[in-house]
């Protein structure tokens, strides 16, 4: 990549929580079961089925926020994020947009360039979608077991400046969350996966360039290689006088390049509004301090 450019990277990390049941229903939250055996009208989104919030999800999400130095808000709520994909049967996802549970944390990483602080913008709770299973002989099948599995999404500040820093951040994040016990963070099983937002700007500039998003990176190697390729691709386009478009791309580890999936959505595209089936909730000081008291010794403390 030309030294004339500076890379700007922010990561959105999705982490499945280790609860016994799903976030809004009593279906078991387990990995590897026979397809479509752990589903019910609620997680399938059938008409008339109403969600009930799992309190353990709230405890785990708050603990993750505390471990990452975030402020845990006393009052929060859910929003409805409207979009259609084949693995989302009700055509919307219950998430948190306007009032997330946690904001304003940070973690410190070590790279070959030394120590660096990476800010965390927010942590919010949401439900996972199902899973598409592709088979050349039989086409694409749909496993709905993962629908409604509890997730937290951890959004970093755009403080990362290299693929090496991105991997160091994700490794540190995985270590902290594993220590707390809120998730097993098994990337090979999809319980931790990462989206990378990548843009370039002229060195010395303050405004961000147009970003692309690399979707669902499920290993440290894929994250490093995908970001490294995308950074070089964008630099070549800009050097040739071309334009970077805001889009979602897929990293193909076999072909060693990124592929356009779709034009990147914005908040307006999702038609977000307060979730009508779940009331806002308030956390007491006793609840927050009770979660804080259960925080274990973290990696930096142990080191």
């Amino acid at each position: 990549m030309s030294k004339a450019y500076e890379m700007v990277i922010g990561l959105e990390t999705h982490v499945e929580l280790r609860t016994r049941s799903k976030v809004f229903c009593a279906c078991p939250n387990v990995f590897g079961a026979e397809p479509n055996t752990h589903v019910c009208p609620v997680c399938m989104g059938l008409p008339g089925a109403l969600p009930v919030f799992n309190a353990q999800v709230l405890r785990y999400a708050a603990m993750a926020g505390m471990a990452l130095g975030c402020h845990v808000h006393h009052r929060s709520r859910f929003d409805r994020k409207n979009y259609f994909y084949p693995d989302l049967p009700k055509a919307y996802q219950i998430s948190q947009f306007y009032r997330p549970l946690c904001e304003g944390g940070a973690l410190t990483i070590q790279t070959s360039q030394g120590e660096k602080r990476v800010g965390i913008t927010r942590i919010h709770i949401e439900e996972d979608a199902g899973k598409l299973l592709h088979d050349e002989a039989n086409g694409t099948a749909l496993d709905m077991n993962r629908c409604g599995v509890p997730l937290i999404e951890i959004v970093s500040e755009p403080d990362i400046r290299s693929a090496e820093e991105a991997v160091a951040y994700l490794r540190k994040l995985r270590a902290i969350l594993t220590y707390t016990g809120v998730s097993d963070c098994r990337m090979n099983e999809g319980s931790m996966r990462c989206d990378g937002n990548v843009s370039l700007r002229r060195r010395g500039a303050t405004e961000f360039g147009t970003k692309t998003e690399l979707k669902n990176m499920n290993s440290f190697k894929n994250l490093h290689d995908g970001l490294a390729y995308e950074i070089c691709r964008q630099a070549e386009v800009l050097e040739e006088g071309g334009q970077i478009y805001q889009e979602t791309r897929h990293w193909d580890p076999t072909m060693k390049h990124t592929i356009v999936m779709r034009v990147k959505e914005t908040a307006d595209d999702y038609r977000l509004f307060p979730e009508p089936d779940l009331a806002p909730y308030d956390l007491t000081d006793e609840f927050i301090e009770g979660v804080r008291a259960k925080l274990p010794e973290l990696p930096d403390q142990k080191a």
Side-chain angles (χ1 to χ4, degrees), residues 148-178:
V149 166
L151 287 177
I152 52 173
E153 180 174 342
I154 303 166
V155 182
S156 83
E157 291 286 320
D159 293 338
I160 299 169
R161 295 292 178 267
S162 69
E164 181 194 6
E165 287 184 6
V167 171
Y169 167 88
L170 194 61
R171 285 188 184 278
K172 184 68 173 287
L173 190 63
R174 184 179 184 273
I176 291 172
L177 296 176
T178 304

Side-chain angles (χ1 to χ4, degrees), residues 37 61 71 74 98 112 114 134 140 165 189 196 226 228 236 256 282-283:
T37 55
H71 172 71
H74 283 74
Y98 295 105
S112 60
H134 304 287
T140 299
E165 287 184 6
E189 295 181 359
E236 288 180 6
K256 302 295 183 184
D282 294 283
L283 303 183

Side-chain angles (χ1 to χ4, degrees), residues 99-246:
R99 302 198 67 167
L101 177 64
C102 307
E103 290 184 292
L107 56 78
T108 302
I109 61 173
Q110 293 283 346
T111 70
S112 60
Q113 303 301 310
E115 188 174 273
K116 180 171 183 177
R117 180 184 183 275
V118 178
I120 293 172
T121 309
R122 56 190 275 147
I123 300 176
H124 61 264
I125 302 168
E126 60 187 21
E127 59 181 343
D128 211 343
K131 186 176 182 180
L132 296 175
L133 306 172
H134 304 287
D135 183 272
E136 290 186 4
N138 301 310
T140 299
L142 183 55
D143 181 5
M144 307 304 293
N145 283 345
R146 203 171 67 179
C147 283
V149 166
L151 287 177
I152 52 173
E153 180 174 342
I154 303 166
V155 182
S156 83
E157 291 286 320
D159 293 338
I160 299 169
R161 295 292 178 267
S162 69
E164 181 194 6
E165 287 184 6
V167 171
Y169 167 88
L170 194 61
R171 285 188 184 278
K172 184 68 173 287
L173 190 63
R174 184 179 184 273
I176 291 172
L177 296 176
T178 304
Y179 267 62
T180 63
V182 304
S183 175
D184 57 30
C185 294
R186 293 174 181 165
M187 299 181 76
N188 61 313
E189 295 181 359
S191 60
M192 185 179 193
R193 50 197 192 268
C194 184
D195 303 337
N197 293 297
V198 193
S199 66
L200 296 183
R201 64 183 176 188
R202 290 281 179 182
R203 290 199 180 275
T206 56
E207 292 186 2
F208 294 136
T210 301
K211 68 180 179 181
T212 60
E213 180 183 37
L214 293 186
K215 199 71 176 172
N216 287 335
M217 314 297 280
N218 61 357
S219 75
F220 299 121
K221 178 174 173 53
N222 283 345
L223 176 64
H224 180 279
D225 293 351
L227 290 175
Y229 174 87
E230 184 61 17
I231 290 162
C232 292
R233 184 193 72 83
Q234 289 190 21
E236 288 180 6
V237 170
L238 294 173
E239 284 292 310
E240 294 171 0
Q243 181 179 353
I244 302 298
Y245 296 96
Q246 186 168 334

Side-chain angles (χ1 to χ4, degrees), residues 29-51:
N29 175 21
V30 296
F31 176 82
E34 286 295 313
N36 302 311
T37 55
H38 291 164
V39 295
C40 73
V42 174
C43 54
M44 290 284 289
L46 299 184
L50 294 176

